């Protein structure tokens, strides 16, 4: 099996700043920030909101590639969003799901898997995606398979979905809440840097002078 | 609801600059949804639940759109978690609701009223209740201006009385 960190660093090499990436809370965001693309991505999007937020972005900017780096527990919470994607069929949207089969990856600070998600049992998210009308939905289990699928997804019209089966545990040692949580943006700083990035790319105005 | 009143609501959205709508239908607003669906300038996305809907709207805002979330009173309760996150990120969003449990409700849904207003207050989501047809357009426009200025969700609750 492959791990999330390796796939994220591989994917970081494949995208450029012209593409827009949305990452959820959990371990994906800090790993994505290590690629240096945190400030030009929308990060730490909360439970169940990653794929739908990427969908809204993709529909608003149909000429621009948008990628959701979602995860199993997150996606299952608002699973209906796959149906919405399958009906809207945005050509510019790719959903990558890091599927580790459990919640709270790394366990509650003990290097163990968290409680199982439905994908640890019988649920096949790629089949759900296809059933929702996302025809280009596949499962990958190795780095090589991931690379091929991701390259294809970035090149071809979507919507596409890649379910990457990854190790149940990301990090053996999770930091204690009181320890230094490392560099990165908080959710509001990220909002501003991401919106400014889109303003530059699109030559549009999103943010206005505040009244406070 | 009369077509003419649905027209007022839809025109109100357009005049307020809304150009992206996300929703789940409520019977009170059936004709509003029908008209929105036929109007490409209001790009309607039908979500599977209201929390997903609020997230889609947030994404559209980052893409430069002026979104509105058009949902049932009960749906607001489903949307609360996503709306709380929009609040944290300080993302503006107009939330338009045909309000159940007030005058004009064909079926008493007072139980929702008991939850909804205290919930909006506790979530620090400002709201206006519209009970006169003549006030619909202006209230939508005012609430959209405030959502953008205050960087938060602002709700417009249109009672059955305004839609009679
Ligand atoms: Mg997981």
């Amino acid at each position: 099996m492959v791990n999330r960190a390796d796939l994220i660093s591989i994917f970081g090499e494949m995208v450029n700043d012209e593409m827009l990436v949305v990452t959820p809370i959990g371990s994906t965001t800090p790993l994505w920030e290590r690629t240096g693309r945190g400030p030009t991505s929308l990060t730490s999007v909360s439970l169940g909101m990653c794929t739908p937020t990427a969908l809204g972005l993709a529909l608003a900017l149909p000429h621009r590639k948008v990628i959701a780096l979602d995860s199993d527990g997150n996606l299952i919470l608002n699973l209906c969003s796959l149906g919405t994607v399958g009906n809207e069929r945005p050509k510019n949207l790719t959903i990558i799901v890091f599927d580790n089969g459990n919640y709270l990856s790394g366990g509650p600070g003990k290097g163990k898997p968290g409680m199982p998600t439905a994908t640890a049992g019988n649920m096949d998210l790629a089949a759900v995606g296809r059933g929702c009308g996302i025809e280009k939905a596949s499962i990958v289990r190795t780095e090589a398979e991931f690379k091929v699928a991701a390259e294809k997804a970035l090149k071809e019209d979507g919507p596409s979905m890649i379910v990457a089966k990854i190790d149940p545990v990301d990090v053996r040692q999770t930091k204690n809440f009181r320890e230094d949580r490392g560099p990165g943006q908080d959710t509001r700083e990220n909002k501003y840097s991401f919106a400014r990035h889109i303003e530059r790319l699109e030559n549009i105005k999103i943010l206005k002078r505040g009244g406070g | 609801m009369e077509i003419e009143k649905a027209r007022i609501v839809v025109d109100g959205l357009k005049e307020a600059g809304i150009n992206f709508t996300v929703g789940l239908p409520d019977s009170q607003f059936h004709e509003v949804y029908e008209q929105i669906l036929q109007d490409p300038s209001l790009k309607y996305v039908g979500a599977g639940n209201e929390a997903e809907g609020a997230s889609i709207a947030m994404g559209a805002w980052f893409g430069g759109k002026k979104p509105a979330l058009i949902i049932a009173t009960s749906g607001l309760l489903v949307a609360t978690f996503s709306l709380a996150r929009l609040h944290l990120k300080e993302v503006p969003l107009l939330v338009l609701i045909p309000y159940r449990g007030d005058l004009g409700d064909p079926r008493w849904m007072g139980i929702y009223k008991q939850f909804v207003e205290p919930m909006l207050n506790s979530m620090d989501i400002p709201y206006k209740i519209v009970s006169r047809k003549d006030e619909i357009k202006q209230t939508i426009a005012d609430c959209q201006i405030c959502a953008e200025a205050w960087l938060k969700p602002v709700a417009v609750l249109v009672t059955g009385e305004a839609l009679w």
Side-chain angles (χ1 to χ4, degrees):
Chain A
M1 248 191 209
V2 290
N3 70 61
R4 187 192 312 251
D6 290 342
L7 296 190
I8 285 176
S9 73
I10 289 169
F11 192 65
E13 298 287 316
M14 298 171 75
V15 301
N16 59 51
D17 275 344
E18 299 279 305
M19 303 172 180
L20 301 174
V21 177
V22 182
T23 67
I25 53 160
S27 51
T28 295
T29 287
L31 291 171
W32 183 248
E33 284 173 334
R34 282 197 214 159
T35 68
R37 298 195 184 279
T40 52
S41 305
L42 186 61
T43 58
S44 291
V45 174
S46 205
L47 278 174
M49 299 177 71
C50 183
T51 288
T53 301
L55 171 63
L57 202 51
L59 292 172
L61 301 170
H63 51 282
R64 193 166 291 288
K65 194 80 192 172
V66 177
I67 304 113
L69 295 185
D70 217 333
S71 53
D72 50 335
N74 261 312
L75 182 59
I76 290 168
L77 188 71
N78 270 333
L79 194 61
C80 55
S81 58
L82 293 179
T84 315
V85 170
N87 281 324
E88 291 291 330
R89 303 194 64 75
K91 285 181 181 167
N92 55 330
L93 179 64
T94 293
I95 302 161
I96 294 177
V97 185
F98 296 115
D99 181 4
N100 66 357
N102 69 88
Y103 291 100
L104 252 182
S105 45
K110 296 187 179 71
K112 294 191 297 187
M115 294 296 285
T117 61
T119 64
N122 297 322
M123 186 183 218
D124 174 345
L125 281 172
V128 175
R130 283 192 297 275
C132 286
I134 306 170
E135 286 155 25
K136 295 177 178 178
S138 59
I139 293 185
V140 298
R141 289 191 165 81
T142 65
E143 283 182 17
E145 284 174 7
F146 176 77
K147 256 186 214 164
V148 171
E151 260 162 24
K152 203 162 139 59
L154 294 181
K155 206 167 56 201
E156 292 180 1
D157 278 351
S160 54
M161 180 176 174
I162 301 166
V163 179
K165 290 293 206 180
I166 58 167
D167 288 335
V169 176
D170 293 316
V171 275
R172 295 288 152 195
Q173 278 177 343
T174 303
K175 280 193 190 276
N176 183 295
F177 181 71
R178 290 192 203 168
E179 289 175 64
D180 179 7
R181 297 168 73 78
Q185 293 179 317
D186 69 40
T187 189
R188 283 191 203 121
E189 184 187 2
N190 174 252
K191 162 194 144 176
Y192 287 106
S193 70
F194 183 62
R196 292 291 185 212
H197 177 62
I198 295 177
E199 287 184 333
R200 280 189 297 270
L201 284 178
E202 298 289 334
N203 197 24
I204 55 172
K205 272 274 156 243
I206 298 168
L207 301 166
K208 294 181 174 181
R209 181 178 297 281
Chain B
M1 110 184 253
E2 292 165 28
I3 298 296
E4 178 231 354
K5 285 178 184 161
R7 194 71 249 157
I8 292 171
V9 174
V10 175
D11 287 346
L13 289 169
K14 292 168 78 156
E15 285 169 27
I18 298 299
N19 55 13
F20 191 100
T21 56
V22 191
L24 248 82
D26 181 306
S27 58
Q28 291 275 87
F29 253 15
H30 181 71
E31 290 76 8
V32 171
Y33 289 100
E34 279 186 336
Q35 291 189 25
I36 287 175
L37 203 54
Q38 285 162 18
D39 191 333
S41 74
L42 288 168
K43 171 60 187 165
Y44 178 75
V45 181
N49 75 49
E50 292 82 355
E52 180 209 349
S55 314
I56 295 169
M58 177 169 85
W61 178 78
F62 275 104
K65 296 289 183 187
K66 286 181 193 281
L69 182 67
I70 309 173
I71 53 177
T73 308
S74 53
L76 181 67
L77 303 176
V78 179
T80 50
F81 176 68
S82 291
L83 289 174
R85 298 299 299 196
L86 261 78
H87 217 301
L88 193 65
K89 273 209 181 318
E90 299 183 342
V91 169
L93 177 63
L94 183 76
V95 184
L96 179 62
I97 296 168
Y99 195 27
R100 307 303 294 255
D102 209 314
L103 281 188
D105 189 344
R107 224 175 122 227
W108 177 241
M109 294 278 184
I111 192 76
Y112 290 137
K113 187 180 167 76
Q114 282 179 38
F115 298 143
V116 162
E117 289 178 50
M119 190 203 75
L120 287 168
N121 284 323
S122 64
M123 289 181 77
D124 189 26
I125 295 178
Y127 64 92
K128 275 280 186 190
I129 297 173
V130 186
S131 51
R132 295 279 171 271
K133 182 186 83 172
D134 302 343
E135 293 168 2
I136 293 174
K137 268 192 191 181
Q138 192 61 49
T139 308
I140 290 174
D142 292 348
C143 287
Q144 173 61 18
I145 287 169
C146 289
E148 287 183 42
W150 299 340
L151 296 171
K152 60 168 78 185
V154 176
V156 179
L157 312 178
V158 185
T159 72
E161 195 182 2
L163 304 173
W164 269 351

